[in-house]
Amino acid sequence: MSEDFKEKLRRYSEGSLPGEEREEMERELAKMEAYQTYLDELMGAEETPEAENGGSKPRGSGKKPGRPGSDKKIIRRGKWRARIANTFTVLSALLIITVLSSIITSVFYETGTRRENYRDVVSSALAVSRPNTSVQLNSSTHVFFTTDFAGKLVKRIGDEQVTVGDYSLRMLLGRASISQYSWLDERSGNGGVFYYPRAGTPTGTGERWDDEEWGKLEKLPEGTVAEVYLSFDQLFTTDQLLQKFEGRNMEPVWFAADTGPDAMGAEGQVLTTPLGFPYQPIWHADDMIVQEVKETKAGWFGMTGSRSVLSSSPPVESYGSGELREENFMKTLYLMQEYKSITAKVAPFIRLDESVSYLEENGVRLYGAVVTGPVKELLKLREESWISHLRVGETRLWNWRDRNDK
């Protein structure tokens, strides 16, 4: 604090400052609370009774003294003005930060196909790691660089898509932070439903370890549909397995792929972390075939307009196209590898890199499948020697249309 300013403070306390300088001083006091301590001390000295000065008037007695009570009110008003000004400054800063973060967040997630890529990775990772489970995701962007993906978890039971839970994922600038599954029935989230084939077991001589599960299926009413998890006594290619279901009044909905004993555990043991792909391929944006492009123009010289693209997925044979399905599966895994942080949140239990390396070296071979259909039709699978194990999953009342009627 300069001597010049101290002198002005002293004159202000005596009430000897001219009008303009006094108003300027009051504005300074409102802005700079640091000077208040010194001013309070100075005002205290001015209030000392004249008797303490030997009856003599203090210096500057020729000038009109100030009114301490009035000056204190002015000082208090200055302090409150400063506090209010500081509060408005902070609120303004927060508002500016919020607006800027909203703009940055929107630009980040809307740039190119970033949002759609994230959505694709999340839904793909869930589809390959959760048997017969899929999710249709909606997204909502928030301030401070976050966006949420959320949707219903559904399973194919008979001819209906049945809701079995909810899923949500929060992302912070491209990194997944919070992943949550909420199952209506905890059994829907269990993954231990397959058995890996025993080595050296000839086709047709596999042991039957699941009489209790077959008995459970037998006790279900005839007018019901169910999903069942089938384990095989050997490994099949996709085409080989699809041919086994051709002509049957049931449908496979998910295939469990062999990712090697190291990734899956001991032979003949139950698998708690299956990795596979759905019967309907997981199509990505660059898989779609453009059928038609429409452009409409309006305004002067056609400077404004709109463009729509009609596209469709590649054709797939109902009981074939094994190579196409397997290529689609590998492409999905490569996409998940590209976004490992997201994959690790959605499916933290799979060993992605090891599984991809094994599949690249050995090809896609299947040891299990999820199948759905009428209970009476599923019971016929008990006579098939290539099925070593069965587990009953979800069941529903009749909602089936016979495949022979299609």
Side-chain angles (χ1 to χ4, degrees):
M1 184 180 295
S2 67
E3 293 299 325
D4 180 63
F5 194 81
K6 289 181 180 180
E7 177 63 21
K8 286 185 177 181
L9 283 174
R10 188 183 65 77
R11 292 176 62 193
Y12 172 78
S13 68
E14 294 174 349
S16 60
L17 278 177
E20 291 184 1
E21 292 187 22
R22 185 179 183 87
E23 291 177 1
E24 182 181 355
M25 177 57 67
E26 289 179 359
R27 288 195 295 270
E28 289 296 322
L29 289 174
K31 295 179 181 178
M32 306 175 63
E33 291 189 82
Y35 296 131
Q36 299 307 314
T37 301
Y38 177 80
L39 186 59
D40 287 341
E41 293 176 357
L42 187 60
M43 293 298 294
E46 292 294 339
E47 291 178 28
T48 302
E50 291 185 7
E52 295 181 5
N53 293 318
S56 61
K57 294 183 181 182
R59 294 181 181 179
S61 58
K63 301 171 184 177
K64 184 180 179 181
R67 293 176 297 172
S70 175
D71 292 337
K72 285 185 177 181
K73 290 181 179 179
I74 294 173
I75 293 171
R76 284 196 295 269
R77 283 201 303 268
K79 288 182 178 180
W80 278 107
R81 288 174 184 170
R83 290 167 182 162
I84 293 173
N86 291 338
T87 300
F88 275 109
T89 300
V90 172
L91 292 176
S92 299
L94 287 175
L95 179 61
I96 292 172
I97 292 173
T98 300
V99 171
L100 288 176
S101 72
S102 298
I103 294 173
I104 294 172
T105 302
S106 297
V107 171
F108 177 83
Y109 288 107
E110 298 301 333
T111 299
T113 58
R114 183 176 281 129
R115 184 192 297 275
E116 292 307 314
N117 288 344
Y118 293 159
R119 193 199 314 270
D120 191 5
V121 174
V122 174
S123 58
S124 296
L126 192 145
V128 301
S129 63
R130 298 281 181 177
N132 189 26
T133 305
S134 61
V135 63
Q136 294 294 326
L137 294 169
N138 297 314
S139 63
S140 56
T141 302
H142 308 288
V143 296
F144 304 121
F145 322 116
T146 62
T147 191
D148 289 337
F149 293 97
K152 296 291 183 182
L153 295 165
V154 298
K155 281 191 169 190
R156 168 80 181 279
I157 312 296
D159 270 339
E160 292 183 354
Q161 297 288 340
V162 178
T163 299
V164 294
D166 297 280
Y167 178 76
S168 63
L169 177 78
R170 169 157 292 186
M171 297 193 64
L172 175 63
L173 288 181
R175 294 193 64 84
S177 57
I178 302 175
S179 175
Q180 292 183 329
Y181 290 90
S182 177
W183 302 98
L184 298 179
D185 187 335
E186 286 301 321
R187 291 175 298 179
S188 300
N190 294 335
V193 291
F194 295 108
Y195 282 79
Y196 192 68
R198 293 181 183 272
T201 302
T203 301
T205 62
E207 296 181 48
R208 291 287 178 159
W209 313 305
D210 52 355
D211 287 341
E212 182 179 346
E213 291 294 316
W214 285 106
K216 185 187 300 183
L217 195 64
E218 287 178 338
K219 293 176 182 178
L220 291 173
E222 183 176 329
T224 57
V225 293
E227 65 164 354
V228 294
Y229 297 78
L230 304 177
S231 299
F232 311 138
D233 65 350
Q234 60 180 304
L235 299 174
F236 295 100
T237 66
T238 304
D239 278 327
Q240 288 174 338
L241 184 58
L242 285 171
Q243 290 168 9
K244 289 186 175 293
F245 289 100
E246 188 171 6
R248 297 179 183 272
N249 194 20
M250 62 186 70
E251 284 191 4
V253 291
W254 196 86
F255 305 113
D258 173 26
T259 54
D262 291 340
M264 301 173 64
E267 294 172 344
Q269 297 298 310
V270 66
L271 302 173
T272 58
T273 57
L275 184 68
F277 56 96
Y279 172 80
Q280 297 294 341
I282 307 172
W283 300 119
H284 309 287
D286 56 353
D287 292 322
M288 306 306 287
I289 301 173
V290 176
Q291 302 289 344
E292 184 180 0
V293 178
K294 292 183 178 180
E295 293 186 355
T296 58
K297 295 183 178 181
W300 292 99
F301 309 108
M303 294 300 291
T304 62
S306 61
R307 184 173 185 268
S308 61
V309 179
L310 178 63
S311 59
S312 62
S313 59
V316 179
E317 298 177 13
S318 298
Y319 298 98
S321 302
E323 183 176 353
L324 176 62
R325 295 172 188 269
E326 292 168 3
E327 289 176 354
N328 178 262
F329 175 45
M330 294 302 299
K331 182 177 181 179
T332 300
L333 296 182
Y334 294 143
L335 176 66
M336 292 164 55
Q337 279 187 313
E338 186 178 349
Y339 296 90
K340 284 186 178 179
S341 67
I342 300 177
T343 301
K345 283 292 183 180
V346 181
F349 42 82
I350 63 174
R351 300 172 60 183
L352 183 60
D353 290 338
E354 293 87 341
S355 298
V356 170
S357 297
Y358 184 88
L359 290 165
E360 288 176 335
E361 182 177 349
N362 299 277
V364 178
R365 298 180 301 171
L366 310 177
Y367 65 85
V370 181
V371 180
T372 189
V375 168
K376 63 180 181 180
E377 297 295 328
L378 296 173
L379 282 169
K380 296 177 181 179
L381 296 173
R382 193 169 191 174
E383 307 303 320
E384 300 296 332
S385 59
W386 48 277
I387 297 176
S388 63
H389 187 82
L390 172 141
R391 178 171 294 186
V392 180
E394 300 271 355
T395 61
R396 291 293 186 277
L397 295 176
W398 186 266
N399 61 22
W400 190 259
R401 185 173 67 168
D402 289 343
R403 295 307 180 252
N404 296 331
D405 297 337
K406 290 186 175 181

